[in-house]
Amino acid sequence: MSPPVAPPGWSRWLVPPAALSVHLSIGQAYAWSVFKPPLESALGLSGTQSALPFQLGIVMLGLSAAFGGTLVERKGPRWAMTVALVCFSSGFLLSALGASLEQYWLIVFGYGFVGGIGLGIGYISPVSTLIKWFPDRPGMATGIAIMGFGGGALIASPWSAQMLESFGSDSSGIALAFLVHGLSYAVFMLLGVLLVRVPSSAPGTRETVRQALTGPQVSANQAIRTPQFWCLWIVLCMNVTAGIGILEKAAPMITDFFADTSTPVSVTAAAGFVALLSAANMAGRIGWSSTSDLIGRKNIYRVYLGVGALMYALIALFGDSSKPLFILCALVILSFYGGGFATVPAYLKDLFGTHQVGAIHGRLLTAWSTAGVLGPLIVNWIADRQEEAGRHGASLYGLSFVIMIGLLVVGFVANELVRPVHPRHHIPAPKEEAAHVQPQQSESA
């Protein structure tokens, strides 16, 4: 499947909607916590066990993005979106079969392994294309698309809760909900497959391509040999761990925090909290990433990591005494979490150029894989141990939040260490650019 080239006059503003159709679909992953309590009840699982499909999905997201990044760059966004459609939808269909048969391993394999491959390929599919279409505003462009991944749960969370209420929260009801998800997302993602285009060298797009290729260019193989790549790997891993720790257990967490108060949180309200977090995640992706075009990538990550640590401290100290404070701090943390994802492609473009930014981005997402295991493991494992020790309520999470603060401080330090890439890692300028620059130099002479 060859990449579809835009004809002369094609509007670059048609590309973000194509990316959004894929990202809004795969963003359902952030609504997994809605399925946790029904699965635990229907199949007799612990909190740690019910998190496994989500954790494996995030692991496979990073691994498939890392190993498939170069292939996505070569075959183009339509091929990548098609692979994402097949894998993500198939993951739901396998999960539906697993729930129907009460075989939890099949849910883990379907949603986590197969669906996780769809997550990774789908996530990186539009990144380099968007940056090439919008070299003047890379933070905004990637933010528009990647906000869909954060906003997917805004749709999926209440939709999933409503289906479980209508179909039932037993194994057959869960299976039917998975089936509807798989078929619906296949249709929606198909819109992106049909709409996406790559820029050409035709009049009207030549300048876009030339702008995208100016400045230092670093290949994916060289990028992973630089300290800048690994500093950003740590930055992304720490920021994601801090956000995903809340997001994966959002519904049970807010219920536990206020279970012993005069205003306990209902199941419906907890699902609404998940939707609110998704809205903050989505808004942060476009808002903070666009802000990074104005104040710079390093400065915006200082905000994500430094203020994020402060928000965790406020929740740990005062969260159980004030529901508005708990919700506000969680929303800020999730906006930084989403903003970090949307800003990192532009950060990579600033450091390494656009030559193989999609492949570099894919390799960097192994940090997300690590965080996808680390964040939920810290929160769920500590909460399970605290519950076994007889504790309850907010005390289940105090130690987890202290750990998150420490991780954010580590990320802050790593961000401070980022410097421009040494010229020895640069590749020669493309011939087209060299031919363009030479006449300019002659005129100047």
Side-chain angles (χ1 to χ4, degrees), residues 19 22-23 72 76-78 80-81 84 120-129 196:
V22 173
H23 275 240
V72 169
R78 177 169 287 180
M81 289 179 178
I121 300 299
Y123 190 87
I124 65 172
S125 60
V127 170
S128 64
T129 304
V196 73

PDB file of all heavy atoms in Angstrom, residues 19 22-23 72 76-78 80-81 84 120-129 196:
ATOM      1  N   ALA A  19      -6.157  11.972  11.444  1.00  0.00           N
ATOM      2  CA  ALA A  19      -5.432  11.467  12.610  1.00  0.00           C
ATOM      3  C   ALA A  19      -6.354  11.330  13.816  1.00  0.00           C
ATOM      4  O   ALA A  19      -6.255  10.369  14.588  1.00  0.00           O
ATOM      5  CB  ALA A  19      -4.265  12.400  12.928  1.00  0.00           C
ATOM      6  N   VAL A  22      -8.420   8.088  14.216  1.00  0.00           N
ATOM      7  CA  VAL A  22      -7.673   6.950  14.766  1.00  0.00           C
ATOM      8  C   VAL A  22      -7.401   7.153  16.248  1.00  0.00           C
ATOM      9  O   VAL A  22      -7.627   6.257  17.073  1.00  0.00           O
ATOM     10  CB  VAL A  22      -6.355   6.745  13.993  1.00  0.00           C
ATOM     11  CG1 VAL A  22      -5.498   5.674  14.662  1.00  0.00           C
ATOM     12  CG2 VAL A  22      -6.639   6.370  12.548  1.00  0.00           C
ATOM     13  N   HIS A  23      -6.944   8.336  16.622  1.00  0.00           N
ATOM     14  CA  HIS A  23      -6.562   8.579  18.013  1.00  0.00           C
ATOM     15  C   HIS A  23      -7.757   8.596  18.956  1.00  0.00           C
ATOM     16  O   HIS A  23      -7.640   8.154  20.101  1.00  0.00           O
ATOM     17  CB  HIS A  23      -5.769   9.882  18.108  1.00  0.00           C
ATOM     18  CG  HIS A  23      -4.317   9.707  17.819  1.00  0.00           C
ATOM     19  ND1 HIS A  23      -3.331  10.012  18.716  1.00  0.00           N
ATOM     20  CD2 HIS A  23      -3.678   9.228  16.727  1.00  0.00           C
ATOM     21  CE1 HIS A  23      -2.152   9.736  18.198  1.00  0.00           C
ATOM     22  NE2 HIS A  23      -2.333   9.273  16.980  1.00  0.00           N
ATOM     23  N   VAL A  72       6.731   2.269   9.532  1.00  0.00           N
ATOM     24  CA  VAL A  72       5.671   3.258   9.350  1.00  0.00           C
ATOM     25  C   VAL A  72       6.178   4.431   8.515  1.00  0.00           C
ATOM     26  O   VAL A  72       5.475   4.932   7.632  1.00  0.00           O
ATOM     27  CB  VAL A  72       5.148   3.746  10.721  1.00  0.00           C
ATOM     28  CG1 VAL A  72       4.240   4.955  10.562  1.00  0.00           C
ATOM     29  CG2 VAL A  72       4.408   2.625  11.435  1.00  0.00           C
ATOM     30  N   GLY A  76       4.216   4.641   5.073  1.00  0.00           N
ATOM     31  CA  GLY A  76       3.287   5.761   5.092  1.00  0.00           C
ATOM     32  C   GLY A  76       2.129   5.606   6.059  1.00  0.00           C
ATOM     33  O   GLY A  76       1.880   4.529   6.600  1.00  0.00           O
ATOM     34  N   PRO A  77       1.383   6.701   6.262  1.00  0.00           N
ATOM     35  CA  PRO A  77       0.344   6.704   7.290  1.00  0.00           C
ATOM     36  C   PRO A  77      -0.872   5.838   6.961  1.00  0.00           C
ATOM     37  O   PRO A  77      -1.512   5.304   7.868  1.00  0.00           O
ATOM     38  CB  PRO A  77      -0.055   8.182   7.373  1.00  0.00           C
ATOM     39  CG  PRO A  77       0.312   8.755   6.042  1.00  0.00           C
ATOM     40  CD  PRO A  77       1.547   8.017   5.624  1.00  0.00           C
ATOM     41  N   ARG A  78      -1.239   5.681   5.681  1.00  0.00           N
ATOM     42  CA  ARG A  78      -2.421   4.863   5.367  1.00  0.00           C
ATOM     43  C   ARG A  78      -2.178   3.411   5.724  1.00  0.00           C
ATOM     44  O   ARG A  78      -3.058   2.748   6.296  1.00  0.00           O
ATOM     45  CB  ARG A  78      -2.796   5.000   3.889  1.00  0.00           C
ATOM     46  CG  ARG A  78      -3.959   4.112   3.491  1.00  0.00           C
ATOM     47  CD  ARG A  78      -4.497   4.426   2.108  1.00  0.00           C
ATOM     48  NE  ARG A  78      -5.245   5.685   2.117  1.00  0.00           N
ATOM     49  CZ  ARG A  78      -5.829   6.203   1.036  1.00  0.00           C
ATOM     50  NH1 ARG A  78      -5.731   5.583  -0.134  1.00  0.00           N
ATOM     51  NH2 ARG A  78      -6.492   7.330   1.110  1.00  0.00           N
ATOM     52  N   ALA A  80      -0.139   2.309   8.006  1.00  0.00           N
ATOM     53  CA  ALA A  80      -0.080   2.236   9.462  1.00  0.00           C
ATOM     54  C   ALA A  80      -1.477   2.285  10.074  1.00  0.00           C
ATOM     55  O   ALA A  80      -1.787   1.531  11.013  1.00  0.00           O
ATOM     56  CB  ALA A  80       0.778   3.371  10.007  1.00  0.00           C
ATOM     57  N   MET A  81      -2.329   3.163   9.567  1.00  0.00           N
ATOM     58  CA  MET A  81      -3.683   3.267  10.104  1.00  0.00           C
ATOM     59  C   MET A  81      -4.488   1.997   9.833  1.00  0.00           C
ATOM     60  O   MET A  81      -5.328   1.595  10.648  1.00  0.00           O
ATOM     61  CB  MET A  81      -4.384   4.492   9.517  1.00  0.00           C
ATOM     62  CG  MET A  81      -3.841   5.814  10.027  1.00  0.00           C
ATOM     63  SD  MET A  81      -4.700   7.225   9.272  1.00  0.00           S
ATOM     64  CE  MET A  81      -3.877   8.596  10.103  1.00  0.00           C
ATOM     65  N   ALA A  84      -3.364  -0.566  12.339  1.00  0.00           N
ATOM     66  CA  ALA A  84      -3.921  -0.204  13.636  1.00  0.00           C
ATOM     67  C   ALA A  84      -5.394  -0.594  13.728  1.00  0.00           C
ATOM     68  O   ALA A  84      -5.846  -1.123  14.755  1.00  0.00           O
ATOM     69  CB  ALA A  84      -3.759   1.297  13.868  1.00  0.00           C
ATOM     70  N   GLY A 120       0.040   1.021  19.389  1.00  0.00           N
ATOM     71  CA  GLY A 120       1.354   1.575  19.055  1.00  0.00           C
ATOM     72  C   GLY A 120       1.456   2.054  17.626  1.00  0.00           C
ATOM     73  O   GLY A 120       1.904   3.180  17.358  1.00  0.00           O
ATOM     74  N   ILE A 121       1.025   1.223  16.680  1.00  0.00           N
ATOM     75  CA  ILE A 121       1.102   1.602  15.267  1.00  0.00           C
ATOM     76  C   ILE A 121       0.159   2.767  14.980  1.00  0.00           C
ATOM     77  O   ILE A 121       0.499   3.704  14.247  1.00  0.00           O
ATOM     78  CB  ILE A 121       0.779   0.401  14.367  1.00  0.00           C
ATOM     79  CG1 ILE A 121       1.785  -0.740  14.610  1.00  0.00           C
ATOM     80  CG2 ILE A 121       0.802   0.811  12.898  1.00  0.00           C
ATOM     81  CD1 ILE A 121       3.222  -0.388  14.315  1.00  0.00           C
ATOM     82  N   GLY A 122      -1.027   2.733  15.572  1.00  0.00           N
ATOM     83  CA  GLY A 122      -1.978   3.812  15.363  1.00  0.00           C
ATOM     84  C   GLY A 122      -1.510   5.123  15.962  1.00  0.00           C
ATOM     85  O   GLY A 122      -1.745   6.191  15.396  1.00  0.00           O
ATOM     86  N   TYR A 123      -0.836   5.033  17.109  1.00  0.00           N
ATOM     87  CA  TYR A 123      -0.411   6.252  17.795  1.00  0.00           C
ATOM     88  C   TYR A 123       0.622   7.038  16.991  1.00  0.00           C
ATOM     89  O   TYR A 123       0.548   8.255  16.884  1.00  0.00           O
ATOM     90  CB  TYR A 123       0.161   5.887  19.169  1.00  0.00           C
ATOM     91  CG  TYR A 123       0.417   7.085  20.055  1.00  0.00           C
ATOM     92  CD1 TYR A 123      -0.596   7.595  20.848  1.00  0.00           C
ATOM     93  CD2 TYR A 123       1.655   7.700  20.097  1.00  0.00           C
ATOM     94  CE1 TYR A 123      -0.380   8.705  21.662  1.00  0.00           C
ATOM     95  CE2 TYR A 123       1.890   8.805  20.894  1.00  0.00           C
ATOM     96  CZ  TYR A 123       0.866   9.304  21.683  1.00  0.00           C
ATOM     97  OH  TYR A 123       1.093  10.399  22.464  1.00  0.00           O
ATOM     98  N   ILE A 124       1.599   6.332  16.414  1.00  0.00           N
ATOM     99  CA  ILE A 124       2.659   7.035  15.688  1.00  0.00           C
ATOM    100  C   ILE A 124       2.329   7.257  14.220  1.00  0.00           C
ATOM    101  O   ILE A 124       3.061   7.963  13.516  1.00  0.00           O
ATOM    102  CB  ILE A 124       4.011   6.285  15.797  1.00  0.00           C
ATOM    103  CG1 ILE A 124       3.936   4.920  15.106  1.00  0.00           C
ATOM    104  CG2 ILE A 124       4.442   6.165  17.238  1.00  0.00           C
ATOM    105  CD1 ILE A 124       5.284   4.216  15.017  1.00  0.00           C
ATOM    106  N   SER A 125       1.221   6.669  13.736  1.00  0.00           N
ATOM    107  CA  SER A 125       0.931   6.716  12.299  1.00  0.00           C
ATOM    108  C   SER A 125       0.885   8.122  11.716  1.00  0.00           C
ATOM    109  O   SER A 125       1.366   8.343  10.598  1.00  0.00           O
ATOM    110  CB  SER A 125      -0.378   5.973  11.997  1.00  0.00           C
ATOM    111  OG  SER A 125      -1.467   6.546  12.680  1.00  0.00           O
ATOM    112  N   PRO A 126       0.331   9.148  12.400  1.00  0.00           N
ATOM    113  CA  PRO A 126       0.247  10.455  11.752  1.00  0.00           C
ATOM    114  C   PRO A 126       1.343  11.444  12.140  1.00  0.00           C
ATOM    115  O   PRO A 126       1.367  12.550  11.617  1.00  0.00           O
ATOM    116  CB  PRO A 126      -1.109  10.987  12.241  1.00  0.00           C
ATOM    117  CG  PRO A 126      -1.212  10.452  13.636  1.00  0.00           C
ATOM    118  CD  PRO A 126      -0.454   9.136  13.664  1.00  0.00           C
ATOM    119  N   VAL A 127       2.249  11.072  13.064  1.00  0.00           N
ATOM    120  CA  VAL A 127       3.124  12.073  13.682  1.00  0.00           C
ATOM    121  C   VAL A 127       4.022  12.773  12.671  1.00  0.00           C
ATOM    122  O   VAL A 127       4.017  13.999  12.547  1.00  0.00           O
ATOM    123  CB  VAL A 127       3.959  11.436  14.812  1.00  0.00           C
ATOM    124  CG1 VAL A 127       5.048  12.403  15.286  1.00  0.00           C
ATOM    125  CG2 VAL A 127       3.058  11.077  15.982  1.00  0.00           C
ATOM    126  N   SER A 128       4.832  12.008  11.951  1.00  0.00           N
ATOM    127  CA  SER A 128       5.767  12.650  11.014  1.00  0.00           C
ATOM    128  C   SER A 128       5.022  13.343   9.879  1.00  0.00           C
ATOM    129  O   SER A 128       5.453  14.381   9.381  1.00  0.00           O
ATOM    130  CB  SER A 128       6.747  11.615  10.441  1.00  0.00           C
ATOM    131  OG  SER A 128       6.061  10.643   9.672  1.00  0.00           O
ATOM    132  N   THR A 129       3.869  12.793   9.471  1.00  0.00           N
ATOM    133  CA  THR A 129       3.070  13.419   8.420  1.00  0.00           C
ATOM    134  C   THR A 129       2.566  14.788   8.863  1.00  0.00           C
ATOM    135  O   THR A 129       2.619  15.769   8.112  1.00  0.00           O
ATOM    136  CB  THR A 129       1.874  12.518   8.045  1.00  0.00           C
ATOM    137  OG1 THR A 129       2.360  11.230   7.666  1.00  0.00           O
ATOM    138  CG2 THR A 129       1.078  13.112   6.903  1.00  0.00           C
ATOM    139  N   VAL A 196      -6.477  10.285   4.920  1.00  0.00           N
ATOM    140  CA  VAL A 196      -5.107  10.761   5.127  1.00  0.00           C
ATOM    141  C   VAL A 196      -4.334  10.910   3.808  1.00  0.00           C
ATOM    142  O   VAL A 196      -4.538  10.141   2.864  1.00  0.00           O
ATOM    143  CB  VAL A 196      -4.356   9.809   6.099  1.00  0.00           C
ATOM    144  CG1 VAL A 196      -4.003   8.479   5.424  1.00  0.00           C
ATOM    145  CG2 VAL A 196      -3.098  10.482   6.654  1.00  0.00           C
TER     146      VAL A 196
END
